[in-house]
Amino acid sequence: MQYIRLGNSGLQVSRLCLGTMNMGTPDWKPWIFNEKQSEPIVAHALNNGVNFIDLADFYSAGVGEEVVGRIVKRLARREDLVITTKVGYGTRNAINASGHSRKHIMDSIDASLKRLDMDYVDVFMLHYFDVNTPVEETMGALNDIVRSGKARYIGVSTMLTGQLAKILMACERNGWVKPINMQLQLNCAYREEEREMIPFCRDQGIGVSVFSPLARGLLTGDVQSTRNQTDFFTQQMYSDEVSFEIAHSVQRVARARGVSNAQIAQAWVANHPGVDCMLVGADTTAQFDSALAALETKLDAEELHELERNYTPCDVINDYTAGKRILRTARPGHERFTLQGAVA
């Protein structure tokens, strides 16, 4: 396992972070693992050097935190782990049971700690940017949580670069703690965060953790998985022509290497110059091992060209564009390059 200091903090984390959205109860989603099914995966990750575990109160409507909390208590020393959880979407439907108001943030940290059976989390993260709550209210509440000892650090996820700048300015004006981690979506088929967010995080000393390195399974070739057949987000994000062409490129490189599609797609992310950590949501120990191998898989210039040549700019993926994104269609090639026999 490789380790890295997260952003400008002194916190050292494994470059693979165990994602746990697939752990909790299948009553929430049909592809979720129960506690018995989840424990071998958590154990395998810990045995291979993972110390970074990502959760959210939203996962399995809170049951995810309960399940993972019990598992890690059996398997590891709390002080050896870096536990992060997120606030925003909530666990139930009620007027003040979601968002980033001071009330909901304060209620949520206490509820998460109770479910996890822990005294603190290492990183308490905003799941998105709440446009309906003043940023000073949100960040003031997070600052108070850190000062109270219920969280060691704060982080953010899935927002526009200008929104992150707004957060940092509020923290700077008021002398509040700043985020040390940005969690964002990045993979061969979705690279929009390379334009502004990743360079901005690098400039501001914020660590970058990446989720969905396999484009929700598209880049593995398994588009017929239970999750992808029951999760409309996958269709909305990755059902366009360009995404499928990129998936074919991943397959070509993988076949030439003699490794799995997943290892190549993960290697592209893991070795990206703007990425600190890669989240791995493994359904099997073999899937985790693929990500572990990806850390050491160095892609050459020709392989990178094949993986990147089909990429076309697209609408940003976030809460504000849900249901409104326009799918990409590759632009037609010039006759010079489309004649039979031309080099692909």
Side-chain angles (χ1 to χ4, degrees), residues 51 91 103 111 121 156 167 228 237 243 268 273 290 312 317 328 332:
N51 74 338
T91 61
K103 174 175 174 54
V121 293
V156 290
I167 284 173
N228 284 344
M237 295 176 187
S243 293
W268 184 89
S290 168
T312 302
I317 296 175
R328 295 174 288 186

Side-chain angles (χ1 to χ4, degrees), residues 37-53:
Q37 295 168 314
S38 301
E39 184 158 348
I41 298 169
V42 177
H44 188 68
L46 295 176
N47 289 339
N48 281 278
V50 165
N51 74 338
F52 198 13
I53 299 178

Side-chain angles (χ1 to χ4, degrees), residues 222-237:
D222 185 17
V223 295
Q224 301 301 318
S225 67
T226 300
R227 177 173 184 177
N228 284 344
Q229 293 303 302
T230 57
D231 189 343
F232 76 93
F233 287 115
T234 301
Q235 293 298 314
Q236 185 188 103
M237 295 176 187

Side-chain angles (χ1 to χ4, degrees), residues 248-249 252-253 301-310:
H248 293 152
S249 288
R252 282 189 284 269
V253 173
E302 291 184 357
E303 290 171 326
L304 287 170
H305 175 77
E306 177 60 28
L307 295 174
E308 296 176 353
R309 68 184 179 88
N310 287 301

